[in-house]
Amino acid sequence: MKTEMYTPAISFRGVHAKRLLALVICGIVLIWIVGRSRNASEVEKYSQANLLANREDKYVFNMDSNQRGLTDGTSVSFRKGHFVLGGKTLKILSGAMHYFRVVPDYWRDRMLKMKSCGLNTLETYVPWNLHEPTPGLFDFEGILDVRKYIQLAHEVGLHVIFRPGPFICSEWDFGGLPSWLLADPNMRVRSNYPPYQKASERFFSKLLPLVTDLQYSQGGPIIAVQVENEFGSYSDEVQHLDFLRALLIKNGITELLVTSDNLSGMRRAPFHKHALPTANFQDYEKSSKEFNAIRELNPDFPLMVMEYWSGWFDHWGSPHSTFPLEAFAKSLSGILHNDSSVNFYMFHGGTNFGFMAGANYFDDYKPDVTSYDYDAPLDEAGNITPKYEKAREIIMEYVLKKQGITSLPEPPPNSAKADYGHLAIDSYLPWHTMMSLMESSLEVKRPDHMESIKLISGVGQSYGYIVYRKTLHQPGTLLKLPGHVTDRAQILLNSKETAILDWHTKDPEVHLEDVKADTVLDVVVENLGRVNYILAGSEILNSQRKGLSGDVYLDEKKLEDWKIFPLDFDKSYVNRLSRTSEWKPFEVQVNTPCMYRTELKIAEEPRDTYLLVKGWKKGVVFINGFNLGRYWNIGPQKTLYVPAPILKTGTNEVLIFELHKPAPEITFQSSPDLG
């Protein structure tokens, strides 16, 4: 038997150094193994990895059968580059319309117009942030009744493509993600970060059971469900797609799974063995290579443009975007000529009501406007446009005639529009009165972001404005703020504007005048919208916290003991503003935030109209308590769409929160001005 020679080593308190080193290494290895197993168990807990690892996974594409697709439960399959439904070839002609951007009274009208254009399918996203505004508390009522929306599509005779996210992009605040996720300083959205997985699982476990019986296989209209959204454009963590796919399956989704992305996204996060890849583009000639990439993955894959961008969206301070009719027609003809299915994104854009518009960040932060007209075939008010007529003509020529269809039903008429004329402002509420009506506030040592504070609900603030108030006990001339203001700040001294700051300046400084003891300093910060789209490699989504965070100085002296007011204009607060007896007869108030009021009296049945706030600078409008959204004189948008269902016969209260300087009147007119 071979024996090992033992060589003495330098010892320390009777323990040999080699032996000590071996013990340390073993300890480190043991800790690593335990930590890895714990992490693996967490991932398995939330990703249902057993479904994905099973070699008999029945939800993997079956590429050996004559009719290829998902082998169990799926209604839509594909064969030789075509969709198949019920044994017949299906050309998907779809239009995007989001229930949360259109008042429910108008859902049917828009769907009927889709049918009359030759479409057979409706596509919608799902906004997690509206459905779960507070962790564990859900809202599926009114404009958020997604089940009713899908049922209505079925009644009208449309299939449905369901895109539940949880991330949706869509020029929507934070891409549909709830801002309370950011209360976790280590949050990593759109990843297998366990707290994000846990929150996603809770949302899907509430959402999906509402619609599983509306799948085609169970007699409903849903024929396809999307896994995340343009994920490869953001990340290569394919394991996150595995996790989401497993959640969909666990919660009863059996229909065709799809992904949508551009060419680089398809390559960065390939998922075509578990979901059908589809393309996103506008210019067919430039982007047809995406079709080639899909066919290279598998020649049996049917082609589909999940997002054929029929127009584009607008940013505040930028020119109004359009997509010319001729270019629109040329790309659509190319798509259909290539035997592809298509989803018009958007077919009807609607409106980013309230504070829900998102933002982009490439070279700079660019917040989106209130209107989501998108230059789509149906405009913001649901009116038929020349694009609608051209799309109808092209669909008939390239698709329907080949199916033996030679005519389409006439679309419903456009809704009547009203010119209610000029209305004088009759009263106003001063800033100090508005603040006195706030019921929720928080005392803190120093300012913090709205997502990071804890209000009575146990979570932070999501939208609107956040006010940081400090009573100054000594004079001063130089105010220093920390980091970047996110996104726009108005500095007030005793309710009067001293400076305006925005996201561009780091560690901004403000020179103050006439600051005396007991001066009230208010820093009013507006959240202009969280970024909803960013390219791969960026961490911007994980840092979309709004407001101020850090120490504030006055003449090098740290200002402590602040009071924070969450000015998010929730329904109860707007109601208190409306009912207070503190309203004063109208006078133009310069350089101070105020609430202004007037009344629109309607004798007949209300009609759609557009609110022009000419001469006003920046703020938000409420009609009968409904938040129409932001206006801003930098444009391009100049009017706010007012759908008739939020109006009533009789007296309608109009409240306008203006940050800087009002005009003596507003105008309701019969046509929009989007720039």
Side-chain angles (χ1 to χ4, degrees):
M1 176 174 151
K2 185 177 179 181
T3 60
E4 209 173 322
M5 181 178 293
Y6 174 71
T7 305
I10 300 172
S11 63
F12 180 71
R13 292 187 181 180
V15 180
H16 289 289
K18 283 188 176 180
R19 192 173 300 171
L20 179 61
L21 180 61
L23 288 172
V24 170
I25 292 172
C26 288
I28 292 172
V29 171
L30 182 61
I31 291 171
W32 180 81
I33 292 172
V34 171
R36 184 176 176 86
S37 65
R38 283 180 178 175
N39 186 60
S41 66
E42 284 293 308
V43 172
E44 183 172 0
K45 178 180 179 182
Y46 296 121
S47 70
Q48 303 295 317
N50 56 311
L51 279 175
L52 306 176
N54 190 340
R55 294 181 65 183
E56 297 179 358
D57 184 355
K58 61 186 177 182
Y59 295 100
V60 175
F61 281 133
N62 177 8
M63 303 314 299
D64 296 324
S65 62
N66 291 327
Q67 183 166 297
R68 304 172 193 260
L70 300 186
T71 60
D72 186 79
T74 298
S75 304
V76 172
S77 56
F78 48 86
R79 178 174 56 233
K80 296 181 179 179
H82 296 281
F83 289 110
V84 176
L85 180 64
K88 298 180 179 179
T89 299
L90 171 68
K91 177 77 68 182
I92 298 175
L93 302 170
S94 177
M97 178 176 76
H98 305 148
Y99 56 96
F100 47 94
R101 282 177 159 134
V102 182
V103 292
D105 309 65
Y106 286 159
W107 289 348
R108 180 182 291 271
D109 172 82
R110 294 1 179 203
M111 291 178 188
L112 289 172
K113 286 173 178 172
M114 287 184 178
K115 286 280 290 184
S116 297
C117 194
L119 304 189
N120 56 25
T121 304
L122 175 147
E123 174 267 301
T124 188
Y125 279 132
V126 176
W128 181 7
N129 50 13
L130 288 188
H131 286 300
E132 193 179 3
T134 301
L137 297 178
F138 296 90
D139 186 357
F140 292 96
E141 302 295 326
I143 198 171
L144 298 179
D145 194 340
V146 60
R147 179 176 175 84
K148 180 179 179 180
Y149 183 73
I150 294 172
Q151 288 174 322
L152 185 58
H154 196 203
E155 290 177 20
V156 169
L158 292 168
H159 302 309
V160 170
I161 296 173
F162 191 60
R163 303 212 280 174
F167 176 84
I168 62 172
C169 186
S170 190
E171 292 69 63
W172 193 252
D173 186 89
F174 207 19
L177 300 177
S179 64
W180 45 257
L181 290 167
L182 296 172
D184 178 351
N186 301 311
M187 177 54 61
R188 296 184 61 81
V189 299
R190 306 183 72 186
S191 78
N192 275 0
Y193 177 60
Y196 179 73
Q197 290 181 301
K198 185 175 182 179
S200 300
E201 182 174 32
R202 181 179 62 229
F203 174 53
F204 271 15
S205 69
K206 188 70 175 182
L207 167 69
L208 297 176
L210 295 176
V211 302
T212 50
D213 67 325
L214 300 179
Q215 295 178 96
Y216 192 90
S217 59
Q218 299 188 44
I222 298 174
I223 59 171
V225 177
Q226 185 170 296
V227 184
E228 232 263 358
N229 188 71
E230 297 176 311
F231 184 77
S233 295
Y234 175 74
S235 172
D236 61 0
E237 189 183 347
V238 178
Q239 295 85 351
H240 183 57
L241 295 180
D242 288 336
F243 159 73
L244 292 175
R245 171 175 165 268
L247 278 188
L248 292 170
I249 295 168
K250 175 186 174 183
N251 285 282
I253 295 300
T254 60
E255 298 299 342
L256 178 70
L257 299 181
V258 300
T259 58
S260 69
D261 220 322
N262 57 30
L263 184 60
S264 62
M266 292 180 197
R267 291 171 174 169
R268 184 176 291 108
F271 203 61
H272 56 276
K273 291 185 178 180
H274 300 290
L276 179 72
T278 64
N280 295 347
F281 59 73
Q282 184 174 78
D283 188 326
Y284 172 74
E285 288 188 350
K286 292 181 180 178
S287 302
S288 58
K289 55 189 177 183
E290 296 184 21
F291 281 172
N292 295 333
I294 291 172
R295 282 278 164 84
E296 286 174 5
L297 291 173
N298 194 299
D300 281 317
F301 282 165
L303 299 178
M304 179 164 184
V305 187
M306 183 60 74
E307 292 188 15
Y308 169 47
W309 301 320
S310 62
W312 205 243
F313 51 92
D314 289 339
H315 299 300
W316 289 116
S318 299
H320 176 50
S321 297
T322 60
F323 184 38
L325 180 62
E326 297 76 13
F328 167 82
K330 184 177 181 181
S331 282
L332 179 58
S333 298
I335 290 167
L336 297 180
H337 179 73
N338 208 32
D339 206 18
S340 171
S341 290
V342 66
N343 176 51
F344 293 86
Y345 189 97
M346 300 292 296
F347 194 82
H348 174 47
T351 308
N352 298 316
F353 292 119
F355 299 118
M356 300 313 299
N360 277 6
Y361 195 110
F362 295 109
D363 297 326
D364 190 15
Y365 170 77
K366 294 182 178 181
D368 299 333
V369 304
T370 299
S371 172
Y372 202 56
D373 178 89
Y374 210 85
D375 192 28
L378 293 179
D379 72 10
E380 184 176 11
N383 294 318
I384 291 170
T385 69
K387 276 187 180 174
Y388 178 97
E389 299 289 3
K390 180 59 69 173
R392 198 169 189 249
E393 173 188 320
I394 292 171
I395 289 170
M396 175 62 71
E397 184 66 27
Y398 280 87
V399 181
L400 300 184
K401 283 184 178 179
K402 296 177 181 178
Q403 298 175 355
I405 299 171
T406 57
S407 65
L408 287 167
E410 285 301 309
N414 294 334
S415 61
K417 307 297 187 293
D419 181 351
Y420 292 118
H422 305 290
L423 290 181
I425 304 301
D426 59 44
S427 52
Y428 80 99
L429 276 180
W431 175 248
H432 64 83
T433 304
M434 291 183 62
M435 295 299 290
S436 71
L437 292 170
M438 296 283 293
E439 290 186 345
S440 179
S441 63
L442 185 68
E443 294 183 357
V444 297
K445 203 71 174 174
R446 66 177 194 169
D448 206 351
H449 292 123
M450 62 170 60
E451 299 85 357
S452 302
I453 63 175
K454 283 194 176 181
L455 302 172
I456 297 175
S457 62
V459 296
Q461 180 184 345
S462 294
Y463 311 108
Y465 308 80
I466 184 167
V467 181
Y468 302 93
R469 171 166 286 187
K470 170 67 180 173
T471 300
L472 304 177
H473 298 297
Q474 75 283 333
T477 58
L478 185 63
L479 183 71
K480 295 183 178 180
L481 301 179
H484 289 274
V485 172
T486 47
D487 299 304
R488 186 178 187 269
Q490 189 177 16
I491 311 299
L492 307 178
L493 293 177
N494 291 333
S495 302
K496 284 294 183 179
E497 180 182 301
T498 298
I500 300 172
L501 307 169
D502 65 20
W503 61 89
H504 289 104
T505 305
K506 184 179 181 182
D507 300 325
E509 298 182 352
V510 178
H511 292 273
L512 306 179
E513 296 180 3
D514 300 324
V515 177
K516 302 174 183 178
D518 298 324
T519 295
V520 176
L521 167 67
D522 285 332
V523 182
V524 185
V525 183
E526 181 179 6
N527 166 10
L528 286 169
R530 296 179 183 86
V531 169
N532 59 263
Y533 183 84
I534 198 68
L535 297 177
S538 172
E539 287 295 318
I540 285 177
L541 284 184
N542 295 314
S543 60
Q544 283 301 291
R545 297 172 183 87
K546 300 296 184 175
L548 289 177
S549 182
D551 293 319
V552 178
Y553 291 85
L554 181 63
D555 290 346
E556 306 303 328
K557 183 176 181 180
K558 187 187 301 184
L559 297 179
E560 296 185 327
D561 301 321
W562 292 74
K563 201 167 188 179
I564 294 178
F565 297 86
L567 188 59
D568 57 2
F569 289 99
D570 63 21
K571 290 182 180 179
S572 63
Y573 178 62
V574 173
N575 190 46
R576 289 195 301 277
L577 293 174
S578 172
R579 294 187 176 187
T580 183
S581 60
E582 299 295 319
W583 288 92
K584 299 177 180 294
F586 173 70
E587 295 177 356
V588 172
Q589 302 296 303
V590 180
N591 295 331
T592 181
C594 291
M595 183 67 80
Y596 298 89
R597 181 171 68 180
T598 188
E599 292 179 342
L600 170 63
K601 297 184 185 297
I602 301 176
E604 66 284 342
E605 186 75 17
R607 289 178 286 169
D608 284 1
T609 186
Y610 300 89
L611 174 60
L612 175 67
V613 283
K614 186 177 181 180
W616 298 69
K617 297 190 82 171
K618 190 176 196 316
V620 189
V621 179
F622 304 83
I623 296 183
N624 296 329
F626 185 91
N627 189 338
L628 283 182
R630 297 183 178 91
Y631 64 88
W632 196 352
N633 66 350
I634 65 173
Q637 181 177 358
K638 296 181 176 64
T639 57
L640 292 173
Y641 170 56
V642 184
I646 73 167
L647 301 172
K648 60 185 178 181
T649 303
T651 301
N652 297 267
E653 182 183 56
V654 182
L655 301 180
I656 306 173
F657 177 59
E658 165 63 47
L659 287 165
H660 307 293
K661 182 177 179 288
E665 67 178 17
I666 57 175
T667 303
F668 287 96
Q669 60 189 45
S670 58
S671 59
D673 186 348
L674 298 179

